[in-house]
Amino acid sequence: MRYVLFLVALLAAAPAFAQPAPPEARMLLPAPTQANWGQSRFTVKPDFTWQVFTPAQTAATPAADSAVVEAVERLVLPVLLPGRPRTNRRRASPLPTAALVLQYGRPGSLLTVGEDESYTLRVTPMGVALNAPTHLGILRGLATLRELAQAEKKSVSLPEVDVVDAPRFPWRGLLIDAARHFMPVSVVKRNLDGMWATKLNVLHWHLSDDQGFRVESKLFPRLHQVGGQGQYYTQRQIREIVRYAGRRGIRVVPELDMPGHATAWLAAYPRLASNDSTYGVAPRWGVLNIAMDPTRETTYSFIDSVLSEVTPLFPDPYFHIGGDENDGRQWRRNPRIAAYMKQQGYVTEKGLPDKHALQTAFNRRVLALVEKYQKHMVGWDEILGPGLPASAVIQSWRGKKGLYDAAKAGHQAILSNGYYVDLNLTAASHYAPDPLPQDAPLTPEQQKLILGGEATMWAEFADSVIVDSRIWPRTAAVAERLWSPAQVRDVADMYRRLALLSPQLETLGLQHRKAPNQLLLQLAGSPAALPPLRTLAQVLEPVKEYKRHFQGFKYTTQTPLNRLVDAAPAESDVTREFGAAVDKLLAYNVSTPAATRFRDASTRQQLTSLREQLQQWQNNDALVQPILHQNPLLQEYAPLSVNLKTAAALALERLTLLEKGQAPTAAWQTAALKQLDALKAPAGQTELAVLPHLRRLVEAK
């Protein structure tokens, strides 16, 4: 009877919540569909236990149960029971006698895009109940449960809450580029754990490009021996990663890029090339405009053989063939291929060889091969064109137009434009794009073809050491856009929750904060020299987009990524928080009468905080210059420290005038703004991220 009463109380009775309020996310990211918060909490006790119920037993149930058990034991219990033994806590009982009760209806299928990932989570003072139609929903709910954990002095507690949650889009991905810089198995695994924590469900694994072919091929070993240059995934390792991802509810979609971005293929097997040149694996970055020959049957028979070997390694029903950034110059310049194009009618209205028509023909041939192995073909938006069967899936990286054009032509489509986290843009900039905004020019049926989106981490400027810092935590903003309701758009609240999530990701093994700190220490040379160097690095950001290619430093695949630009944050939290404080101060200054301005304690504290920060930046130059000059890798950043000192001094002058209620003279303001403009020049492929905020302070009226 005691257990029956517990079941009724835990699973059926609603907790005593506070007055109804709009759903709020609190510490959760992605934000759930609904969250009703109570006033109490559940305290995790030393005798904490858990159990799983699965009414529908099928052949897949043991694997699903095993995945749930692994998620609880490896990903959740370390947070709920830090420092305590976690073994022998699972109960096997026909009644819900544990503190955490998990129940799902059936195993979820990773082979079904749009499989049910919904769940409900109830936390009461008596215990926790997590229910879902499939085990995938349990995995999503466990990620939420992990975020709820609040460490106290001697225990961990969970706030009382009732969560009803489901994803907005079925395709929520992260592309990891292992072709340009090889990413070891351990790096892929820890990022899969980060994906689990943020409810992403597709790893798009970019496995070949001009700079590398990363899949072991027993049919064509030169692909990985020559094309991979000794850095590749064995077939056993690929199966291991696919299994690891699957146990976290994550699909793995491989990409072998063709017909362009294929120099590594051609280095291994020159017969695939569109001319008589021989190639080595590309040591440089950029669009090389080297492509396979689409006119030879041997090209397709080779691709067919590769697919016959590679596709069985990946159970997922989707296979990505790339198809991007081939300008067709090799095809047009080869007389034989140009003649073939004219013979086949692949010409423009002016009778010139039409590379797009030839690539569409190539796409159709490859599509047939991919479908031969029971896969759906995915390609970047360049593959979209007349004659492409609607079964091809389009991934739009160039803009919303490609996404909408694909849906209008009957293709399923995925958005990546706006989600390129390798561009070092802000989390807010990635948070804004929506695969289906309210003004999308699509019919209801066309809207159903928008599967979701993917964050993309291209690896020209990210190796296995710093890649985590270029993915996280900003990718979590993309994860929320793809999971949460469309109306969840509060940027400030997103940043608040992102700050809570970031240290949680570190407890999963991600190194997005640890690795840059280690690199800074290495550059500083000693722990004593680290604080001044960190003060400078915290307000630097790498130049945006792909400007690092064009600032006088020639990068190759062998260039070490061990400079200050590599340790600098993709988005500076110090800069953003300082900018928010400046905006708040200026808004207060405008809205408050001069007679009472800066009299309340909180505003004076804010003023003091801004002044202390500016003084630290001003004084830091004297401390950091000796450090910068003693290390050849740091010398190029000395001008930025001087610029920070100069800009901080100007902002301090303006802050003093604001406090006194005095307006700057026009001459001073003009000269100061001109001086700030002169400080914008980047150095060492970094820029002073704080300058725009200092400028707003100086130009305030």
Side-chain angles (χ1 to χ4, degrees), residues 177 179-183 211 284-286 421-424 457-471 474 519 542-551 553-557 559-563 565-568 570 684-685:
D177 175 8
R180 290 176 173 85
H181 276 105
F182 182 70
M183 302 297 166
Q211 294 78 20
R284 59 189 177 92
W285 309 125
V421 293
D422 65 308
L423 299 182
N424 300 312
M457 183 61 236
W458 302 107
E460 288 97 329
F461 301 113
D463 60 10
S464 60
V465 175
I466 66 169
V467 67
D468 294 6
S469 70
R470 297 311 185 230
I471 297 175
R474 292 173 303 134
L519 180 52
V543 292
K544 307 308 176 188
E545 299 173 337
Y546 298 118
K547 294 177 183 177
R548 284 181 73 169
H549 289 297
F550 312 109
Q551 295 198 346
F553 194 100
K554 299 298 182 183
Y555 287 91
T556 73
T557 55
T559 302
L561 299 178
N562 61 352
R563 295 156 61 227
V565 61
D566 304 303
Q685 291 82 57

Side-chain angles (χ1 to χ4, degrees), residues 46-85:
D47 61 351
F48 180 88
T49 56
W50 63 281
Q51 60 192 133
V52 182
F53 290 96
T54 314
Q57 295 293 320
T58 71
T61 300
D65 266 357
S66 178
V68 170
V69 169
E70 182 175 322
V72 173
E73 293 184 342
R74 295 189 181 183
L75 302 173
V76 177
L77 289 187
V79 174
L80 298 183
L81 296 161
R84 295 181 181 273

Side-chain angles (χ1 to χ4, degrees), residues 578 582-583 585-586 614 646-658 662-677 679 690-701:
F578 179 83
V582 167
D583 290 341
L585 180 70
L586 295 180
L614 291 169
T646 302
L650 292 171
L652 277 169
E653 288 185 54
R654 183 66 186 96
L655 198 64
T656 299
L657 292 174
L658 275 173
Q662 298 176 2
T665 66
W668 179 90
Q669 198 168 46
T670 299
L673 293 174
K674 184 177 181 180
Q675 196 170 2
L676 286 174
D677 287 341
L679 304 179
V690 76
L691 278 179
H693 306 308
L694 298 176
R695 182 183 177 88
R696 285 203 308 283
L697 183 58
V698 168
E699 70 185 359
K701 300 299 184 183

